């Protein structure tokens, strides 16, 4: 019998499902402790997004990668907490830069309080992640530092936009690799490395994480245009309204077809107006740009799946392959 677990994890192996469920429960407990402060307000702010939920995809990948070594090694759960706290911290900073009023269905910290609180709370979370990381050894600290460098580089490059000689689509994909792929790559790397898995497994899980991380973002891009809000829980066109570049939008803007003039006009204009946004969504949903973006999503997901071939045939390998399908077929 196939069971669905965290993040809709698909596995026919009950022992794996039990391991992952127990591991994520331990992550959640440590996450809660790690985000506490002696000052009640800091605890409230730092746990604000954590309490709002989240997929815990990065901790899940740490735990699955650890299945190829000693899954109960002492560094595995702390590493899963480090990557999730790091992810949460980046969301606080992202919301300030994007002036986002909502995150995970609740008011963002910058909206509920102010930008200063959001920025400093993100810094607090980064400090807590570093504190946990110090117990995992200098190599883990170095990996995290380099990951953080990529996260920041990706954010800066996104803010600056492509240069005059850059292809906008190639620029976007490289930004996504830095902003999203890098931390998911580190999740796979930490799980394999800290469980004592073979170096070949560590390399595979690192590269798998990067590619499935990019695929995850590209699926978000498609959901922003194509999702049904009742099914996905997302409001269609949120990125479009805010002027956030996504892959379908970039493909549509690159079109030279005279019949796309109205769509390009809308995409280059103000989409805060509900009627203009609805028109842009209708035109974009019917545009070949959506198929082009889906093909790119499939390319990344399939390349991630192909990386898994040399891994031992244990239940975690099949679960990782199933994640490739889930990322492609996401509805939320």
């Amino acid at each position: 019998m196939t069971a669905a677990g965290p993040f809709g994890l698909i596995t026919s192996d009950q022992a794996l499902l039990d391991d992952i469920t127990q591991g994520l429960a331990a992550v959640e407990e440590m996450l809660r402790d790690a985000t506490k402060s002696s000052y009640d307000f800091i605890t409230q702010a730092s746990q604000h997004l954590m309490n709002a939920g989240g997929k815990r995809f990065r901790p899940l990948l740490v735990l699955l990668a650890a299945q190829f070594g000693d899954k109960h090694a002492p560094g595995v759960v702390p590493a899963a907490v480090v990557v999730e706290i790091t992810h949460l911290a980046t969301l606080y900073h992202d919301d300030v830069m994007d002036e986002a009023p909502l995150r995970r269905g609740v008011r963002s910290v910058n909206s509920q309080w102010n930008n200063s609180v959001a920025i400093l709370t993100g810094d607090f979370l980064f400090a807590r992640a570093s504190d946990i990381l110090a117990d995992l050894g200098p190599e883990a600290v170095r990996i995290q530092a380099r990951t953080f460098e990529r996260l920041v580089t990706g954010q800066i490059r996104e803010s600056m936009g492509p240069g005059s000689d850059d292809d906008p689509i190639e620029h976007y994909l490289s930004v996504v690799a830095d902003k999203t792929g890098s931390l998911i790559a580190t999740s796979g790397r930490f799980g394999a490395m800290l469980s004592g898995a073979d170096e070949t497994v560590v390399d595979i899980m690192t590269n798998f994480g990067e590619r499935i991380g990019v695929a995850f973002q590209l699926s978000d891009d498609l959901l922003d245009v194509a999702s049904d809000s009742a099914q996905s829980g997302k409001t269609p066109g949120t990125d479009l309204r805010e002027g956030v570049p996504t892959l379908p939008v970039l493909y549509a803007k690159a079109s030279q077809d005279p019949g796309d003039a109205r769509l390009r006009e809308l995409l280059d204009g103000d989409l805060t107006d509900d009627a203009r946004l609805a028109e842009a969504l209708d035109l974009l949903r019917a545009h070949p740009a959506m198929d082009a973006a889906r093909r790119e999503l499939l390319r990344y997901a399939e390349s991630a799946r192909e990386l898994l071939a040399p891994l031992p045939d244990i239940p975690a390998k099949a679960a990782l392959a199933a994640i490739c399908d889930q990322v492609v077929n996401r509805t939320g």
Side-chain angles (χ1 to χ4, degrees):
M1 178 180 178
T2 300
F7 187 67
L9 178 66
I10 303 298
T11 178
S12 58
D13 189 272
Q14 188 61 46
L16 174 62
L17 184 59
D18 290 345
D19 275 345
I20 298 301
T21 301
Q22 291 166 14
L24 286 174
V27 168
E28 209 67 24
E29 182 178 355
M30 189 174 181
L31 195 58
R32 188 159 297 279
D33 287 341
T35 51
K36 285 180 181 174
S37 167
S38 55
Y39 297 97
D40 290 343
F41 176 75
I42 296 177
T43 300
Q44 182 185 0
S46 66
Q47 293 186 348
H48 182 73
L49 286 184
M50 185 186 73
N51 291 337
K55 298 176 179 66
R56 305 293 190 257
F57 179 59
R58 292 156 189 81
L60 172 64
L61 191 56
V62 173
L63 298 176
L64 283 172
Q67 292 283 319
F68 296 95
D70 176 5
K71 59 192 177 188
H72 298 305
V76 171
V77 168
V81 173
V82 165
V83 295
E84 185 64 12
I85 291 179
T86 301
H87 173 56
L88 286 169
T90 65
L91 298 183
Y92 282 76
H93 288 179
D94 281 353
D95 285 346
V96 171
M97 288 183 286
D98 298 340
E99 299 180 351
L102 295 174
R103 169 71 71 172
R104 294 179 175 175
V106 300
R107 290 181 67 188
S108 60
V109 168
N110 49 297
S111 173
Q112 180 148 330
W113 290 291
N114 56 52
N115 283 347
S116 295
V117 169
I119 292 167
L120 292 170
T121 302
D123 292 345
F124 172 81
L125 291 171
F126 282 128
R128 285 300 172 90
S130 298
D131 188 49
I132 297 168
L133 198 66
D135 292 329
L136 300 181
E139 182 61 17
V141 173
R142 183 178 295 107
I143 290 166
Q144 174 77 352
R146 291 174 178 173
T147 303
F148 193 49
E149 178 186 354
R150 287 190 65 192
L151 289 169
V152 173
T153 298
Q155 185 63 65
I156 291 171
R157 292 183 68 222
E158 180 184 68
S159 299
M160 296 302 294
S164 57
D165 296 329
D166 293 334
D167 177 89
I169 292 171
E170 289 180 6
H171 174 269
Y172 177 72
L173 290 171
S174 67
V175 164
V176 169
D178 283 339
K179 274 194 63 179
T180 304
S182 64
L183 186 57
I184 296 177
T186 294
S187 302
R189 186 173 185 175
F190 274 167
M193 183 181 84
L194 293 168
S195 69
D198 183 88
E199 191 62 36
T200 301
V201 175
V202 175
D203 288 343
I204 288 172
M205 288 309 307
T206 303
N207 291 321
F208 173 85
E210 175 117 1
R211 294 186 194 182
I212 206 64
V214 173
F216 194 87
Q217 180 58 55
L218 299 186
S219 68
D220 262 358
D221 288 1
L222 286 162
L223 281 172
D224 186 64
V225 178
S227 67
D228 179 316
S229 58
Q231 184 179 26
S232 69
K234 298 176 181 289
T235 302
T238 298
D239 287 339
L240 206 53
R241 184 189 293 273
E242 294 174 358
V244 176
T246 60
L247 194 58
V249 169
L250 291 172
Y251 276 127
K253 283 186 171 184
S255 169
Q256 300 299 313
D257 188 335
D260 294 333
R262 175 57 178 167
L263 175 57
R264 289 195 298 270
E265 177 191 346
L266 289 166
L267 295 177
D268 288 333
D270 182 3
L271 290 176
T272 56
D273 176 77
D274 288 345
R276 287 174 60 86
L277 178 65
E279 184 183 358
L281 278 171
D282 285 343
L283 291 172
L284 194 53
R285 284 168 177 163
H287 195 276
M290 293 295 285
D291 287 334
R294 285 192 186 95
R295 286 194 296 271
E296 196 66 13
L297 164 59
L298 283 167
R299 185 173 75 84
Y300 273 95
E302 284 306 308
S303 67
R305 187 200 307 277
E306 289 167 4
L307 287 170
L308 301 174
L311 292 177
D313 286 321
I314 63 173
K317 178 180 179 179
L320 289 166
I323 285 175
C324 298
D325 293 328
Q326 289 167 271
V327 168
V328 169
N329 298 317
R330 282 176 66 206
T331 58

